Amino acid sequence: MNRYLPVARQHFLAALASTSVVVKSISAIVVLLYLLSFAVDTSYALGITPGYLFPPNFWVWTLVTHGVVEQHIWGVVANVGTVMTCGRLLEPLWGALELLIFFAVVNVAAGILVGLSYLLTYVATFDLDFLFAVRVYGAAGFLGGVLVALKQTMGDTTVLRVPQVRLKAAPALVLLLLSLLRLSGLLDTAAPLAAYTYGALSGWVYLRFYQRHSRGRGDMSDHFAFASFFPEALQPAVGLLAGLVHAALVKIKVCRKMVKRYDVGAPSSITISLPGTDPQDAERRRQLALKALNERLKRVEDQSAWPSMDDEEDDDEDELRTHSQPLLPVSSSSSGPITASGTAHGSTAPATAPESSIISFEDAPSRS
Protein backbone atom coordinates (compact mmCIF):
# COMPACT_ATOMS: atom_id res chain seq x y z
CA MET A 1 0.00 0.00 0.00
CA ASN A 2 2.81 2.40 0.84
CA ARG A 3 4.38 2.04 -2.59
CA TYR A 4 1.23 3.36 -4.24
CA LEU A 5 1.08 6.50 -2.09
CA PRO A 6 3.95 8.33 -3.87
CA VAL A 7 2.39 7.54 -7.25
CA ALA A 8 -1.01 8.78 -6.10
CA ARG A 9 0.57 11.89 -4.64
CA GLN A 10 2.42 12.56 -7.90
CA HIS A 11 -0.77 12.22 -9.97
CA PHE A 12 -2.67 14.44 -7.54
CA LEU A 13 -0.07 17.21 -7.68
CA ALA A 14 0.08 16.99 -11.48
CA ALA A 15 -3.71 17.26 -11.74
CA LEU A 16 -3.78 20.16 -9.29
CA ALA A 17 -1.03 22.00 -11.18
CA SER A 18 -3.05 21.88 -14.41
CA THR A 19 -6.13 23.52 -12.82
CA SER A 20 -7.03 27.20 -12.62
CA VAL A 21 -6.61 29.66 -9.77
CA VAL A 22 -10.24 29.16 -8.75
CA VAL A 23 -9.82 25.42 -8.20
CA LYS A 24 -6.50 25.85 -6.40
CA SER A 25 -7.91 28.55 -4.13
CA ILE A 26 -10.98 26.54 -3.11
CA SER A 27 -8.86 23.44 -2.47
CA ALA A 28 -6.37 25.42 -0.39
CA ILE A 29 -9.16 26.95 1.70
CA VAL A 30 -10.64 23.51 2.38
CA VAL A 31 -7.27 22.18 3.59
CA LEU A 32 -6.51 25.25 5.71
CA LEU A 33 -9.90 25.21 7.41
CA TYR A 34 -9.49 21.50 8.13
CA LEU A 35 -6.16 22.18 9.84
CA LEU A 36 -7.75 25.09 11.71
CA SER A 37 -10.51 22.79 12.97
CA PHE A 38 -8.04 21.17 15.38
CA ALA A 39 -7.86 24.46 17.29
CA VAL A 40 -11.27 26.05 16.62
CA ASP A 41 -14.75 24.62 16.13
CA THR A 42 -15.07 25.68 12.49
CA SER A 43 -18.34 23.82 12.02
CA TYR A 44 -19.97 26.14 14.58
CA ALA A 45 -18.45 29.41 13.36
CA LEU A 46 -18.53 28.74 9.60
CA GLY A 47 -21.09 25.95 9.20
CA ILE A 48 -24.84 26.51 9.01
CA THR A 49 -26.79 26.31 12.25
CA PRO A 50 -30.47 26.70 11.30
CA GLY A 51 -31.33 28.62 14.48
CA TYR A 52 -28.59 31.19 13.81
CA LEU A 53 -29.14 31.54 10.07
CA PHE A 54 -32.39 33.49 10.28
CA PRO A 55 -33.22 36.62 12.33
CA PRO A 56 -32.50 37.76 14.95
CA ASN A 57 -28.99 36.22 14.61
CA PHE A 58 -28.74 36.23 10.82
CA TRP A 59 -25.38 34.47 10.29
CA VAL A 60 -25.51 34.94 6.52
CA TRP A 61 -21.79 34.37 5.97
CA THR A 62 -22.27 30.71 6.74
CA LEU A 63 -24.17 30.37 3.45
CA VAL A 64 -20.87 30.98 1.67
CA THR A 65 -18.44 29.25 4.01
CA HIS A 66 -20.25 26.02 4.90
CA GLY A 67 -19.23 24.36 1.62
CA VAL A 68 -15.49 24.53 2.45
CA VAL A 69 -15.68 23.36 6.07
CA GLU A 70 -14.64 19.78 6.87
CA GLN A 71 -14.05 17.94 10.14
CA HIS A 72 -12.65 14.63 8.85
CA ILE A 73 -9.89 13.72 6.43
CA TRP A 74 -12.22 11.72 4.18
CA GLY A 75 -14.40 14.80 3.92
CA VAL A 76 -11.38 16.81 2.79
CA VAL A 77 -10.57 14.19 0.14
CA ALA A 78 -14.16 14.19 -1.14
CA ASN A 79 -14.36 17.99 -1.15
CA VAL A 80 -11.06 18.56 -2.96
CA GLY A 81 -11.81 15.70 -5.36
CA THR A 82 -15.16 17.23 -6.26
CA VAL A 83 -13.62 20.64 -6.92
CA MET A 84 -10.81 19.14 -9.00
CA THR A 85 -13.31 17.14 -11.03
CA CYS A 86 -15.02 20.41 -11.89
CA GLY A 87 -11.70 21.88 -12.88
CA ARG A 88 -10.91 19.00 -15.22
CA LEU A 89 -14.32 18.39 -16.79
CA LEU A 90 -16.49 21.50 -16.43
CA GLU A 91 -14.09 24.43 -16.36
CA PRO A 92 -12.85 23.88 -19.97
CA LEU A 93 -16.48 24.22 -21.12
CA TRP A 94 -17.56 27.05 -18.83
CA GLY A 95 -14.51 29.00 -17.83
CA ALA A 96 -13.13 29.79 -14.38
CA LEU A 97 -15.57 32.63 -13.65
CA GLU A 98 -18.65 30.56 -14.49
CA LEU A 99 -17.34 27.73 -12.34
CA LEU A 100 -16.98 30.11 -9.40
CA ILE A 101 -20.52 31.42 -9.97
CA PHE A 102 -21.87 27.87 -10.08
CA PHE A 103 -20.02 27.01 -6.85
CA ALA A 104 -21.49 30.05 -5.07
CA VAL A 105 -25.04 29.60 -6.41
CA VAL A 106 -25.28 25.92 -5.48
CA ASN A 107 -23.85 26.34 -1.98
CA VAL A 108 -25.91 29.42 -1.10
CA ALA A 109 -29.16 27.98 -2.47
CA ALA A 110 -28.60 24.62 -0.80
CA GLY A 111 -27.81 26.31 2.52
CA ILE A 112 -30.99 28.42 2.43
CA LEU A 113 -33.19 25.45 1.55
CA VAL A 114 -31.66 23.23 4.23
CA GLY A 115 -32.11 25.95 6.83
CA LEU A 116 -35.75 26.45 5.84
CA SER A 117 -36.38 22.71 6.00
CA TYR A 118 -35.07 22.47 9.54
CA LEU A 119 -37.03 25.56 10.52
CA LEU A 120 -40.24 24.01 9.20
CA THR A 121 -39.38 20.77 11.00
CA TYR A 122 -39.04 22.73 14.23
CA VAL A 123 -42.43 24.37 13.63
CA ALA A 124 -43.98 20.93 13.22
CA THR A 125 -42.23 19.27 16.21
CA PHE A 126 -41.17 22.15 18.52
CA ASP A 127 -37.86 20.35 19.01
CA LEU A 128 -35.08 22.91 19.51
CA ASP A 129 -32.47 20.36 18.46
CA PHE A 130 -33.49 20.93 14.84
CA LEU A 131 -32.51 24.58 15.23
CA PHE A 132 -29.38 24.57 17.36
CA ALA A 133 -27.99 21.02 17.44
CA VAL A 134 -27.68 20.61 13.67
CA ARG A 135 -24.52 21.58 11.77
CA VAL A 136 -24.65 21.74 7.98
CA TYR A 137 -21.23 21.77 6.30
CA GLY A 138 -19.18 19.92 3.73
CA ALA A 139 -19.23 19.22 0.01
CA ALA A 140 -22.51 17.28 -0.14
CA GLY A 141 -24.48 20.17 -1.64
CA PHE A 142 -21.86 21.04 -4.25
CA LEU A 143 -21.42 17.35 -5.10
CA GLY A 144 -25.11 17.16 -6.02
CA GLY A 145 -24.78 20.18 -8.31
CA VAL A 146 -21.64 18.81 -9.94
CA LEU A 147 -23.24 15.45 -10.74
CA VAL A 148 -26.20 17.25 -12.31
CA ALA A 149 -23.81 19.33 -14.42
CA LEU A 150 -21.93 16.21 -15.54
CA LYS A 151 -25.23 14.61 -16.51
CA GLN A 152 -25.91 17.63 -18.69
CA THR A 153 -22.53 17.71 -20.44
CA MET A 154 -21.50 14.03 -20.65
CA GLY A 155 -24.44 11.96 -19.48
CA ASP A 156 -23.81 9.10 -21.92
CA THR A 157 -20.33 8.39 -20.56
CA THR A 158 -20.05 4.89 -19.11
CA VAL A 159 -18.91 4.87 -15.48
CA LEU A 160 -19.13 1.11 -14.85
CA ARG A 161 -19.17 -1.62 -17.48
CA VAL A 162 -20.37 -4.49 -15.27
CA PRO A 163 -23.08 -3.64 -14.47
CA GLN A 164 -23.33 -0.93 -17.10
CA VAL A 165 -23.89 2.41 -15.40
CA ARG A 166 -23.88 5.70 -17.26
CA LEU A 167 -23.02 9.05 -15.77
CA LYS A 168 -26.58 10.31 -16.20
CA ALA A 169 -27.69 7.85 -13.49
CA ALA A 170 -25.07 9.04 -10.96
CA PRO A 171 -27.23 11.72 -9.23
CA ALA A 172 -30.00 9.23 -8.44
CA LEU A 173 -27.56 6.50 -7.38
CA VAL A 174 -25.70 8.77 -4.96
CA LEU A 175 -29.03 9.94 -3.52
CA LEU A 176 -30.02 6.31 -3.00
CA LEU A 177 -26.66 5.56 -1.35
CA LEU A 178 -26.96 8.46 1.08
CA SER A 179 -30.53 7.41 1.93
CA LEU A 180 -29.37 3.88 2.71
CA LEU A 181 -26.53 5.18 4.87
CA ARG A 182 -28.95 7.34 6.81
CA LEU A 183 -31.44 4.51 7.30
CA SER A 184 -28.71 2.16 8.45
CA GLY A 185 -27.48 4.67 11.04
CA LEU A 186 -24.05 5.20 9.48
CA LEU A 187 -24.91 8.88 9.07
CA ASP A 188 -25.54 10.57 12.41
CA THR A 189 -27.70 13.28 10.90
CA ALA A 190 -29.78 13.83 7.80
CA ALA A 191 -27.97 17.10 7.00
CA PRO A 192 -25.69 15.59 4.28
CA LEU A 193 -28.68 13.93 2.62
CA ALA A 194 -30.69 17.17 2.70
CA ALA A 195 -27.72 19.24 1.47
CA TYR A 196 -27.07 16.83 -1.43
CA THR A 197 -30.73 16.83 -2.48
CA TYR A 198 -31.05 20.61 -2.41
CA GLY A 199 -27.67 21.05 -4.08
CA ALA A 200 -28.71 18.83 -6.98
CA LEU A 201 -32.04 20.66 -7.27
CA SER A 202 -30.38 24.09 -7.13
CA GLY A 203 -27.81 23.09 -9.73
CA TRP A 204 -30.50 21.81 -12.07
CA VAL A 205 -32.63 24.97 -11.74
CA TYR A 206 -29.62 27.20 -12.41
CA LEU A 207 -28.41 25.20 -15.42
CA ARG A 208 -31.92 24.73 -16.79
CA PHE A 209 -33.15 28.33 -16.62
CA TYR A 210 -30.49 30.85 -15.64
CA GLN A 211 -26.98 29.95 -16.80
CA ARG A 212 -25.77 32.41 -19.43
CA HIS A 213 -23.66 31.29 -22.36
CA SER A 214 -22.88 32.34 -25.91
CA ARG A 215 -26.04 30.69 -27.28
CA GLY A 216 -28.48 32.30 -24.88
CA ARG A 217 -29.61 31.33 -21.41
CA GLY A 218 -30.38 27.97 -19.84
CA ASP A 219 -30.71 24.50 -21.35
CA MET A 220 -34.23 23.49 -22.36
CA SER A 221 -33.23 20.25 -24.08
CA ASP A 222 -35.29 17.11 -23.48
CA HIS A 223 -32.40 15.03 -22.14
CA PHE A 224 -32.03 17.54 -19.27
CA ALA A 225 -35.68 17.67 -18.24
CA PHE A 226 -36.53 17.08 -14.59
CA ALA A 227 -38.23 13.78 -15.39
CA SER A 228 -35.00 12.43 -16.90
CA PHE A 229 -33.55 12.04 -13.38
CA PHE A 230 -36.11 9.34 -12.56
CA PRO A 231 -36.57 5.77 -13.86
CA GLU A 232 -38.38 5.46 -17.17
CA ALA A 233 -41.47 3.97 -15.53
CA LEU A 234 -41.92 7.10 -13.42
CA GLN A 235 -40.98 9.69 -16.04
CA PRO A 236 -44.51 10.31 -17.44
CA ALA A 237 -46.00 11.01 -14.01
CA VAL A 238 -43.01 13.09 -12.92
CA GLY A 239 -43.07 14.99 -16.20
CA LEU A 240 -46.73 15.87 -15.72
CA LEU A 241 -46.15 17.07 -12.17
CA ALA A 242 -43.05 19.02 -13.19
CA GLY A 243 -45.02 20.68 -15.99
CA LEU A 244 -47.64 21.88 -13.52
CA VAL A 245 -45.00 23.25 -11.17
CA HIS A 246 -43.20 24.96 -14.03
CA ALA A 247 -46.43 26.57 -15.22
CA ALA A 248 -47.05 27.92 -11.72
CA LEU A 249 -43.50 29.30 -11.51
CA VAL A 250 -43.90 30.95 -14.91
CA LYS A 251 -47.04 32.75 -13.71
CA ILE A 252 -45.21 34.22 -10.74
CA LYS A 253 -42.27 35.02 -13.08
CA VAL A 254 -39.73 32.85 -11.28
CA CYS A 255 -38.97 30.76 -14.38
CA ARG A 256 -39.14 31.74 -18.03
CA LYS A 257 -41.55 30.20 -20.48
CA MET A 258 -40.30 27.82 -23.15
CA VAL A 259 -40.70 29.71 -26.43
CA LYS A 260 -40.57 28.32 -29.96
CA ARG A 261 -38.58 30.53 -32.33
CA TYR A 262 -39.06 30.63 -36.08
CA ASP A 263 -36.33 32.16 -38.21
CA VAL A 264 -37.93 32.80 -41.59
CA GLY A 265 -34.91 34.74 -42.82
CA ALA A 266 -32.59 31.76 -42.54
CA PRO A 267 -30.87 30.37 -45.67
CA SER A 268 -33.33 27.50 -45.76
CA SER A 269 -37.03 28.06 -46.15
CA ILE A 270 -37.90 27.85 -42.43
CA THR A 271 -35.64 27.18 -39.47
CA ILE A 272 -37.38 26.05 -36.31
CA SER A 273 -35.72 26.15 -32.89
CA LEU A 274 -37.50 23.87 -30.43
CA PRO A 275 -36.71 23.05 -26.81
CA GLY A 276 -35.71 19.52 -27.77
CA THR A 277 -33.18 20.84 -30.29
CA ASP A 278 -31.45 23.33 -28.03
CA PRO A 279 -27.83 24.20 -28.92
CA GLN A 280 -26.77 22.41 -25.75
CA ASP A 281 -27.76 19.18 -27.50
CA ALA A 282 -25.41 20.05 -30.34
CA GLU A 283 -22.61 20.69 -27.84
CA ARG A 284 -23.32 17.36 -26.18
CA ARG A 285 -23.24 15.54 -29.51
CA ARG A 286 -20.00 17.31 -30.38
CA GLN A 287 -18.39 16.07 -27.18
CA LEU A 288 -19.49 12.51 -27.93
CA ALA A 289 -18.15 12.78 -31.49
CA LEU A 290 -14.78 14.04 -30.24
CA LYS A 291 -14.57 11.16 -27.77
CA ALA A 292 -15.36 8.62 -30.49
CA LEU A 293 -12.77 10.22 -32.79
CA ASN A 294 -10.09 10.08 -30.11
CA GLU A 295 -10.80 6.40 -29.48
CA ARG A 296 -10.61 5.65 -33.21
CA LEU A 297 -7.32 7.52 -33.56
CA LYS A 298 -5.93 5.60 -30.60
CA ARG A 299 -6.85 2.30 -32.24
CA VAL A 300 -5.17 3.42 -35.47
CA GLU A 301 -2.00 4.33 -33.58
CA ASP A 302 -1.98 0.94 -31.89
CA GLN A 303 -2.32 -0.82 -35.24
CA SER A 304 0.46 1.26 -36.79
CA ALA A 305 2.89 -0.20 -34.26
CA TRP A 306 2.80 -3.56 -36.12
CA PRO A 307 5.06 -3.98 -39.20
CA SER A 308 3.26 -3.26 -42.44
CA MET A 309 3.29 -5.31 -45.67
CA ASP A 310 5.56 -2.75 -47.33
CA ASP A 311 8.18 -3.30 -44.64
CA GLU A 312 8.00 -7.07 -45.19
CA GLU A 313 8.44 -6.64 -48.97
CA ASP A 314 11.49 -4.41 -48.38
CA ASP A 315 12.98 -7.08 -46.11
CA ASP A 316 12.41 -9.75 -48.80
CA GLU A 317 14.15 -7.62 -51.42
CA ASP A 318 17.12 -7.12 -49.12
CA GLU A 319 17.33 -10.88 -48.58
CA LEU A 320 17.26 -11.49 -52.38
CA ARG A 321 20.08 -9.00 -52.90
CA THR A 322 22.09 -10.73 -50.22
CA HIS A 323 21.59 -14.19 -51.72
CA SER A 324 22.41 -12.95 -55.27
CA GLN A 325 25.97 -12.02 -54.30
CA PRO A 326 28.67 -14.40 -55.71
CA LEU A 327 29.55 -17.26 -53.50
CA LEU A 328 33.15 -17.29 -54.87
CA PRO A 329 35.06 -14.04 -55.18
CA VAL A 330 36.28 -13.22 -58.70
CA SER A 331 40.07 -13.40 -58.86
CA SER A 332 41.89 -10.21 -59.67
CA SER A 333 44.82 -12.08 -61.32
CA SER A 334 45.86 -11.69 -64.95
CA SER A 335 43.55 -14.36 -66.19
CA GLY A 336 40.23 -12.89 -67.32
CA PRO A 337 36.82 -14.18 -66.64
CA ILE A 338 35.98 -17.65 -67.77
CA THR A 339 33.65 -17.63 -70.75
CA ALA A 340 31.00 -20.08 -71.73
CA SER A 341 33.47 -22.00 -73.96
CA GLY A 342 35.79 -22.57 -71.06
CA THR A 343 38.77 -20.53 -72.44
CA ALA A 344 40.40 -17.78 -70.48
CA HIS A 345 41.25 -14.43 -72.00
CA GLY A 346 44.20 -12.37 -71.03
CA SER A 347 44.32 -9.11 -69.28
CA THR A 348 43.92 -7.29 -72.60
CA ALA A 349 40.18 -7.09 -71.96
CA PRO A 350 38.92 -3.54 -71.43
CA ALA A 351 39.18 -2.47 -67.86
CA THR A 352 35.86 -0.73 -67.97
CA ALA A 353 33.92 -3.84 -68.81
CA PRO A 354 31.73 -4.83 -65.89
CA GLU A 355 32.59 -8.09 -64.29
CA SER A 356 29.83 -10.64 -64.24
CA SER A 357 28.92 -12.03 -60.89
CA ILE A 358 27.55 -15.24 -62.48
CA ILE A 359 29.83 -18.09 -63.55
CA SER A 360 28.34 -20.27 -66.27
CA PHE A 361 29.66 -23.65 -67.40
CA GLU A 362 28.98 -25.71 -70.50
CA ASP A 363 29.43 -29.41 -70.89
CA ALA A 364 33.02 -30.10 -71.95
CA PRO A 365 33.42 -32.08 -75.22
CA SER A 366 33.63 -35.74 -74.57
CA ARG A 367 36.97 -37.41 -75.26
CA SER A 368 36.97 -40.12 -77.85
Side-chain angles (χ1 to χ4, degrees), residues 69-136:
V69 175
E70 294 292 347
Q71 296 290 305
H72 306 284
I73 186 61
W74 56 83
V76 175
V77 173
N79 204 323
V80 174
T82 302
V83 175
M84 290 185 60
T85 301
C86 290
R88 296 294 298 272
L89 301 179
L90 297 179
E91 189 178 16
L93 301 177
W94 294 353
L97 179 60
E98 179 60 31
L99 178 60
L100 181 61
I101 293 174
F102 182 74
F103 178 81
V105 167
V106 170
N107 280 307
V108 171
I112 293 175
L113 293 175
V114 171
L116 286 174
S117 298
Y118 277 103
L119 180 61
L120 294 177
T121 305
Y122 163 74
V123 172
T125 61
F126 294 100
D127 188 355
L128 287 176
D129 289 342
F130 290 109
L131 290 182
F132 300 103
V134 175
R135 300 286 186 270
V136 181

Side-chain angles (χ1 to χ4, degrees), residues 4-18:
Y4 294 109
L5 291 178
V7 178
R9 179 176 177 273
Q10 182 179 0
H11 285 290
F12 172 77
L13 294 177
L16 186 62
S18 62

Side-chain angles (χ1 to χ4, degrees), residues 261-273:
R261 299 187 303 270
Y262 301 90
D263 187 5
V264 183
S268 59
S269 59
I270 295 178
T271 300
I272 303 175
S273 179

Side-chain angles (χ1 to χ4, degrees), residues 37-196:
S37 66
F38 290 99
V40 182
D41 189 3
T42 55
S43 64
Y44 174 77
L46 301 177
I48 293 178
T49 303
Y52 296 141
L53 180 61
F54 303 104
N57 298 290
F58 214 59
W59 289 10
V60 292
W61 67 85
T62 59
L63 294 175
V64 179
T65 58
H66 76 95
V68 292
V69 175
E70 294 292 347
Q71 296 290 305
H72 306 284
I73 186 61
W74 56 83
V76 175
V77 173
N79 204 323
V80 174
T82 302
V83 175
M84 290 185 60
T85 301
C86 290
R88 296 294 298 272
L89 301 179
L90 297 179
E91 189 178 16
L93 301 177
W94 294 353
L97 179 60
E98 179 60 31
L99 178 60
L100 181 61
I101 293 174
F102 182 74
F103 178 81
V105 167
V106 170
N107 280 307
V108 171
I112 293 175
L113 293 175
V114 171
L116 286 174
S117 298
Y118 277 103
L119 180 61
L120 294 177
T121 305
Y122 163 74
V123 172
T125 61
F126 294 100
D127 188 355
L128 287 176
D129 289 342
F130 290 109
L131 290 182
F132 300 103
V134 175
R135 300 286 186 270
V136 181
Y137 60 88
F142 187 56
L143 175 62
V146 169
L147 292 179
V148 169
L150 293 178
K151 177 188 183 305
Q152 178 198 28
T153 56
M154 51 186 67
D156 292 331
T157 304
T158 301
V159 180
L160 295 177
R161 297 188 179 275
V162 180
Q164 187 175 18
V165 177
R166 297 186 182 276
L167 192 56
K168 61 183 178 182
L173 292 177
V174 174
L175 178 62
L176 178 62
L177 176 62
L178 291 177
S179 301
L180 294 176
L181 291 177
R182 176 55 183 163
L183 292 175
S184 62
L186 296 177
L187 287 179
D188 297 335
T189 175
L193 176 60
Y196 174 83

